[in-house]
Amino acid sequence: MASTSDQNQRVLSGMRPTGKLHLGHYHGVLKNWIELQHTHECYFFVADWHALTTEYDRSEGIAPHVTDMVIDWLAAGVSPGTATLFIQSRVPEHAELHLLLSMSTPLGWLERVPSYKDQQEKLKEKDLATYGFLGYPLLQAADILVYRAANVPVGEDQVAHVELTREVARRFNHLYGKEAGFEEKAENAISLMGKKSAKMYKKLRKEYLEKGDEESLSVAQALLDSQQNISIGDRERLYGYLEGGGKIILPEPKALLTKASKMPGLDGQKMSKSYGNTIALRDDPKDVEKKLRTMPTDPARVRRTDPGSPQKCPVWQLHEIYSPNDVKDWVQAGCVSASIGCVECKQPVIEAVQKELQPIQERAREYERDMKTVQSIINDGCEQARDIARDTMEDVRKSMGLVYR
Ligand code: TRP
Ligand code: SF4
């Protein structure tokens, strides 16, 4: 069982199953997930419904990537004992929350999300003037809120979606957090904390409400996190009561901005499937070698005797990631004086990439040989995720007055 404070630090993130994972994903996203899993309660999921928003006309192409992506995560070091791995469509509560949130989300909020128009422009060949595509960020909000996640590790391009999620949550709490008898319930919850904590809570609340002292607010929130005796519902009431408002049913998450991956592709642009410049995590070592050998270098080095400058060469960017200082010095000196050739210069990078991929591929092969284990990791993850999502939906329905029995 996660402790109360862990629950408030829950991390959630998802990835669309649109193809094989590559080194850009590894350096940009997966390494970050792997770090977070040691310090936080982590939920990572395959966003197959999100893939459908753009791939609806090729929906059969999604399935093959779903399990494969989970294998890539596991191979990269995401640990199923520590993190919960699941598939979005196996937890239908995401869809239910999406629907309920859609009732109160103004169209303008969705139309103004920058990725909406950008992606429509970029993927011109597709008809993305669909209801589902407009709702993409709202579905993402539901993904996050259904787990009451506190932290959402995402790249720059997704920050606007987390912002929208915060607004959607705020509006929801405002609309539905005003339960009858809120004050009495909150006061009652305070008394359940025990005398000392209750007194402290009241004092901190007063300081925050009267003087706007942010420090008191965060101390009071930490105090609530550490309470063992109160229910989740009461804790949320007291969270809301602290700020004077009603009950907080869906807490606002924050984006944990993942540093942009510095991983360059084979042409020096950002590594991305759409540029066709990737090294996949499961590329054969021979292919890795071939891809790197045929990589363009500084065009000034036409002949072996022509000097070049690493600054103009995508291979140098790879040295920056993979090579220790002495190798980097060797490249710098050798390139500008033409004392080394490009083939020679690439060799340490080839070896470093192969060495990095070797244990990943070894693990991937083990999982591929044991699909039963992979399936059971996914099944367990889906069940665990669903338990939490069900709890949230009960609260959501209750607060909206949708419980008719
Ligand atoms: N939109 C995200 C992306 O394209 C994927 C995603 C879907 C996601 N739901 C999420 C990320 C929830 C974080 C949280 O990368
Ligand atoms: Fe690039 Fe190395 Fe060739 Fe210089 S020597 S151009 S850094 S590959």
Side-chain angles (χ1 to χ4, degrees):
M1 226 332 248
S3 77
T4 314
S5 59
D6 281 347
Q7 272 174 29
N8 289 325
Q9 283 309 313
R10 186 174 290 149
V11 165
L12 173 115
S13 200
M15 240 189 241
R16 280 172 303 149
T18 47
K20 286 191 214 155
L21 296 193
H22 51 66
L23 281 173
H25 295 113
Y26 180 63
H27 287 271
V29 184
L30 292 174
K31 276 179 152 178
N32 187 238
W33 285 12
I34 291 162
E35 261 176 48
L36 283 166
Q37 74 185 357
H38 298 302
T39 48
H40 293 74
E41 185 196 0
C42 286
Y43 286 76
F44 300 127
F45 73 98
V46 182
D48 55 340
W49 280 336
H50 275 106
L52 262 186
T53 62
T54 55
E55 307 296 306
Y56 57 85
D57 55 347
R58 283 182 290 173
S59 55
E60 72 288 347
I62 296 173
H65 295 309
V66 172
T67 326
D68 243 25
M69 193 157 85
V70 175
I71 294 179
D72 279 339
W73 294 351
L74 293 166
V78 177
S79 154
T82 321
T84 301
L85 311 182
F86 66 99
I87 297 166
Q88 183 183 37
S89 62
R90 295 267 301 269
V91 187
E93 282 75 11
H94 291 230
E96 189 189 356
L97 185 57
H98 178 215
L99 176 100
L100 293 179
L101 295 174
S102 78
M103 304 300 168
S104 56
T105 303
L107 267 182
W109 289 12
L110 296 170
E111 286 161 347
R112 275 196 298 274
V113 172
S115 56
Y116 178 57
K117 292 235 158 60
D118 290 357
Q119 290 293 99
Q120 275 184 342
E121 280 289 304
K122 220 168 124 191
L123 304 173
K124 269 221 181 78
E125 71 287 359
K126 280 195 182 144
D127 181 5
L128 293 182
T130 58
Y131 184 51
F133 188 69
L134 178 67
Y136 184 113
L138 191 63
L139 179 57
Q140 187 163 348
D143 296 339
I144 298 167
L145 296 174
V146 87
Y147 300 100
R148 301 196 246 229
N151 298 301
V152 186
V154 284
E156 188 83 63
D157 61 322
Q158 298 289 312
V159 171
H161 296 175
V162 181
E163 268 314 305
L164 176 87
T165 305
R166 294 170 63 85
E167 276 160 33
V168 167
R170 209 172 303 146
R171 187 174 176 101
F172 187 92
N173 294 327
H174 177 74
L175 285 168
Y176 306 114
K178 301 252 179 299
E179 56 184 348
F182 176 72
E183 300 243 328
E184 295 89 274
K185 282 183 181 157
E187 289 293 337
N188 186 46
I190 295 176
S191 64
L192 293 177
M193 284 198 291
K195 255 204 185 122
K196 219 171 118 202
S197 300
K199 203 170 148 202
M200 178 91 144
Y201 175 90
K202 284 187 187 161
K203 178 171 151 270
L204 292 163
R205 174 173 182 263
K206 198 160 164 236
E207 274 166 11
Y208 177 68
L209 289 178
E210 286 178 5
K211 296 180 223 141
D213 180 7
E214 294 284 340
E215 173 71 19
S216 302
L217 178 64
S218 48
V219 176
Q221 285 167 340
L223 176 73
L224 289 176
D225 290 349
S226 70
Q227 294 301 310
Q228 307 289 340
N229 291 337
I230 54 177
S231 66
I232 295 182
D234 272 348
R235 185 152 36 81
E236 265 134 28
R237 249 171 226 120
L238 291 181
Y239 255 110
Y241 196 47
L242 264 182
E243 295 175 68
K247 187 176 169 186
I248 297 200
I249 303 142
L250 300 173
E252 293 177 33
K254 53 178 191 306
L256 286 185
L257 187 60
T258 312
K259 283 195 281 346
S261 163
K262 286 200 222 67
M263 191 67 208
L266 294 164
D267 54 1
Q269 296 187 78
K270 178 181 146 111
M271 188 178 281
S272 158
K273 192 180 101 181
S274 51
Y275 298 145
N277 62 359
T278 63
I279 294 179
L281 293 183
R282 283 192 259 168
D283 272 352
D284 194 75
K286 285 243 160 37
D287 293 334
V288 171
E289 178 168 5
K290 202 158 119 211
K291 283 182 177 181
L292 290 166
R293 278 220 190 291
T294 50
M295 222 180 130
T297 62
D298 177 359
R301 298 207 69 182
V302 182
R303 269 155 294 159
R304 167 71 174 73
T305 47
D306 295 331
S309 35
Q311 270 57 37
K312 294 184 189 151
C313 177
V315 178
W316 170 248
Q317 297 181 48
L318 293 174
H319 276 293
E320 294 242 68
I321 294 180
Y322 287 101
S323 299
N325 285 335
D326 56 331
V327 174
K328 284 196 278 192
D329 292 346
W330 169 79
V331 173
Q332 286 286 349
C335 183
V336 297
S337 64
S339 66
I340 60 168
C342 293
V343 176
E344 223 180 324
C345 176
K346 287 172 173 178
Q347 195 54 36
V349 170
I350 293 172
E351 281 164 25
V353 173
Q354 287 175 334
K355 191 167 161 218
E356 176 171 61
L357 291 180
Q358 197 265 331
I360 296 178
Q361 299 189 346
E362 183 59 38
R363 267 196 300 263
R365 273 193 295 272
E366 275 168 31
Y367 281 113
E368 277 171 344
R369 277 196 297 265
D370 185 7
M371 288 305 286
K372 259 208 175 117
T373 298
V374 177
Q375 285 310 340
S376 84
I377 289 168
I378 295 175
N379 289 341
D380 291 353
C382 291
E383 260 175 54
Q384 275 180 45
R386 202 162 179 201
D387 278 346
I388 298 175
R390 277 205 187 97
D391 280 352
T392 305
M393 288 317 294
E394 264 181 40
D395 276 4
V396 164
R397 285 185 220 110
K398 226 188 281 163
S399 61
M400 292 179 76
L402 299 176
V403 182
Y404 309 126
R405 273 161 282 122

